[in-house]
Amino acid sequence: MPPVADLGLLPESAAEHHGEMTLAADTPWPSAARDPRTAADFAAVVADYADRLWAVGIRPGRVVAVAKSMHFDIQALQCAVVRVGGLPALLSLAMEPAELLACLAELDQPYLLTDADGVAVLRPARDRLDALVARVVLLAPPPDGAATLPGAVGFEERAAHQVTRRDGIDPTLITHSSGTTGKPKLVVHTVDSLFSHAAPQIKVMQGYDELGLSAKCLSFVHVRMSSGLVSALNVGMPLLALTSADLDPVRAALRRHRPLSLEAQPNVLLRWEELARETPSPLAPVGRYVSSFDAIHPRTVRTLLAASEHPDPSFVQAYGQTETGPVTVLTITRSDLAEAGRVSSRDVGVPFPGLTEVRVVDDQGRALPAGTPGNVEVRTPGRAEAVLGRDPLPGRDSWWPMGDIGVLRPDGHLEVLDRLVDRVPSLPSTLRAEDVLLDELPELAEVVIVGGAGGAITAVAVTVDGTPVAEDRWQAARRAAGLPASVQVWFRSAAELPVTGTVKVRRHRLAGTVPAPVGEGPG
């Protein structure tokens, strides 16, 4: 199949070249007339959605916000909006309501596609919606008796749509950053820049001896899912969308479908360590784990690889962000885990040859020698076109600041030490310290180190069973992690951690909830 970059034309092309390829979700589609099982089914649903969008008045140039319950149908709606010439903006209902409203305002009178979950989030602001959106379209009728939004129209009517083709430099998609460090940014991708997100993935996929079924548990509004769809449809990799990260539905889906490849966000994979320890493990058929967004804890990599019964399982780690797509890649096998220093490594791999570049610089932008911590910058054709409400972005041949502190090793590998805004100045790397704590204390399900006023440091910890770690064991782990004796530990439940739609902990929000130190040692 010749590469296809246009989201509006890609499903139709994939149906023509590998229509029987599995392309499905593990739960029924809430807004489609059928549950797609193949690429051909998916293309038919996209065409049907396009007819419905045309019937409600969406025409070329119209911005269309999609803010609904988390399901793979978001990706089909995205393709349908592009097909009729609109510009989809994918928004997460996991945002705080004020952030969601701010995003709608920045989109300047979009059409809004939503459902009962979206109505529930937006109903308190219904008096403001008229000023924010041009029209509200309900993708499915609300439950009997449920109130809706004023002026909302249904999604049942159909009218034959006209297909719009896009050039490479045309905007094709708006997604948003995770909001880890503040209000989510709305990022504009062109046809070419989005395909450049997919190009490294396509290159990796083409090197596999066996594609197999790829199960993905990702935020369906994140650009990673859109580029993953572009990659899968171009290469012909069978794809199963997992609509929940909760253990019970994931366990059932893995046992039923037995995917060869499994992808999720790092914090989701951390949660799935519990599945890896089950006997028999539902992860046994997985031969290839994939994770992007952030560096992953070494304990998680070891645990997941140990659960696989594949003869030579691997863990593929990519590093990037919404504005850039993947810029480095690292493949880890079981034999790699025996290497000295692997436990404390924050290695995220090397750039994609001929596609991406990475450097580490000081605060004046001067390149630093290997082994010296500094600011990570990248160059990639996948760099986004614009960020709404911000100054124009520099050209793609300019170096882009990732907002991370890292080290380039002599072998060309990049190690990411900290997010710049979350750095605790007295520590060489909060992320490495968290890795060691997780290694020393298997009962930890999560630990996040945050700084406070006057140089105070707090480790916010979540245990698997909710029981705080004994003080002597905590102190031993603290010393192994190189943390000072003044560090306090604050045990909390997972539900109390503020997270983004991609399950990243919002460290700046968490730091604001941490109580003032009352003494040394565990609190």
Side-chain angles (χ1 to χ4, degrees):
M1 170 179 169
V4 178
D6 188 332
L7 283 169
L9 305 180
L10 178 57
E12 183 179 7
S13 178
E16 178 184 350
H17 288 88
H18 30 250
E20 294 307 307
M21 170 192 116
T22 296
L23 188 64
D26 63 337
T27 58
W29 284 49
S31 60
R34 61 195 295 186
D35 282 343
R37 306 304 303 171
T38 66
D41 294 341
F42 183 83
V45 167
V46 168
D48 180 55
Y49 281 159
D51 283 346
R52 301 198 215 184
L53 295 172
W54 199 262
V56 297
I58 294 173
R59 295 294 185 270
R62 169 66 70 178
V63 175
V64 181
V66 181
K68 63 172 299 294
S69 55
M70 196 55 63
H71 194 278
F72 190 50
D73 65 348
I74 291 170
Q75 289 290 301
L77 287 164
Q78 157 200 266
C79 293
V81 171
V82 175
R83 188 172 175 84
V84 300
L87 179 59
L90 309 185
L91 305 178
S92 172
L93 293 180
M95 289 186 202
E96 295 180 1
E99 294 174 340
L100 180 58
L101 293 172
C103 287
L104 290 173
E106 286 187 335
L107 293 173
D108 192 19
Q109 289 286 304
Y111 269 54
L112 171 63
L113 306 185
T114 191
D115 60 3
D117 286 356
V119 169
V121 170
L122 292 167
R123 190 181 297 122
R126 58 185 177 275
D127 294 340
R128 296 177 54 192
L129 276 183
D130 279 348
L132 294 178
V133 303
R135 171 171 278 188
V136 176
V137 180
L138 283 179
L139 296 169
D144 290 345
T148 185
L149 296 174
V153 299
F155 197 52
E156 298 83 16
E157 299 298 321
R158 294 168 174 81
H161 68 277
Q162 296 179 17
V163 178
T164 298
R165 297 175 180 270
R166 276 181 162 82
D167 292 327
I169 61 173
D170 292 336
T172 192
L173 177 65
I174 298 173
T175 62
H176 60 84
S177 63
S178 61
T180 311
T181 58
K183 186 187 80 64
K185 295 172 289 186
L186 293 176
V187 180
V188 182
H189 310 273
T190 64
V191 175
D192 284 347
S193 71
L194 179 62
F195 190 78
S196 293
H197 280 221
Q201 303 165 50
I202 292 172
K203 188 173 183 179
V204 170
M205 288 178 182
Q206 289 172 335
Y208 291 148
D209 293 333
E210 178 186 3
L211 289 176
L213 177 65
S214 173
K216 296 185 183 297
C217 185
L218 301 169
S219 168
F220 298 119
V221 300
H222 198 280
V223 69
R224 169 67 195 109
M225 191 66 233
S226 298
S227 68
L229 179 70
V230 171
S231 304
L233 290 181
N234 270 283
V235 174
M237 173 176 274
L239 191 155
L240 173 69
L242 303 179
T243 53
S244 170
D246 293 342
L247 296 182
D248 287 344
V250 169
R251 182 187 297 109
L254 293 178
R255 287 182 172 156
R256 178 183 177 187
H257 298 282
R258 299 179 62 82
L260 177 63
S261 178
L262 179 63
E263 178 175 3
Q265 289 114 205
N267 280 7
V268 171
L269 294 175
L270 177 64
R271 186 188 308 174
W272 290 354
E273 287 184 18
E274 187 172 336
L275 296 176
R277 298 187 181 101
E278 294 179 1
T279 304
S281 172
L283 299 173
V286 179
R288 185 169 56 242
Y289 298 96
V290 181
S291 181
S292 55
F293 301 89
D294 300 303
I296 195 162
H297 295 299
R299 187 187 84 180
T300 301
V301 175
R302 291 197 309 274
T303 303
L304 297 182
L305 287 178
S308 174
E309 294 181 1
H310 191 275
D312 187 23
S314 61
F315 195 105
V316 180
Q317 162 75 54
Y319 165 69
Q321 62 179 209
T322 299
E323 293 93 332
T324 67
V327 292
T328 68
V329 65
L330 175 71
T331 299
I332 306 169
T333 64
R334 282 174 178 156
S335 60
D336 292 328
L337 297 177
E339 293 179 8
R342 174 64 72 180
V343 169
S344 61
S345 173
R346 297 300 298 178
D347 185 2
V348 293
V350 297
F352 294 91
L355 295 174
T356 61
E357 300 174 83
V358 176
R359 71 176 185 178
V360 173
V361 301
D362 63 16
D363 291 341
Q364 285 72 47
R366 295 171 299 204
L368 293 169
T372 305
N375 304 309
V376 180
E377 294 186 342
V378 306
R379 254 195 319 219
T380 169
R383 223 283 320 286
E385 175 69 15
V387 177
L388 294 187
R390 305 290 180 94
D391 292 337
L393 299 184
R396 289 188 180 85
D397 57 347
S398 301
W399 288 97
W400 175 258
M402 295 292 283
D404 291 327
I405 300 169
V407 173
L408 266 181
R409 300 191 327 210
D411 62 2
H413 283 236
L414 175 68
E415 295 202 15
V416 175
L417 304 179
D418 275 312
R419 188 76 182 155
L420 189 60
V421 296
D422 298 322
R423 185 184 185 190
V424 178
S426 60
L427 299 179
S429 169
T430 58
L431 298 180
R432 277 182 172 162
E434 290 166 2
D435 287 343
V436 175
L437 290 175
L438 286 168
D439 276 322
E440 295 291 319
L441 300 170
E443 62 266 47
L444 288 186
E446 177 65 283
V447 62
V448 180
I449 297 171
V450 295
I457 304 173
T458 301
V460 182
V462 177
T463 58
V464 173
D465 63 1
T467 303
V469 175
E471 183 173 351
D472 60 337
R473 299 191 70 248
W474 163 254
Q475 293 294 350
R478 175 193 61 74
R479 289 190 292 271
L483 296 172
S486 59
V487 169
Q488 65 170 350
V489 60
W490 192 37
F491 290 103
R492 281 295 177 262
S493 69
E496 292 176 279
L497 300 185
V499 298
T500 69
T502 54
V503 205
K504 293 181 182 179
V505 177
R506 302 184 80 168
R507 292 171 183 257
H508 70 296
R509 295 286 177 87
L510 184 62
T513 67
V514 170
V518 295
E520 296 184 357

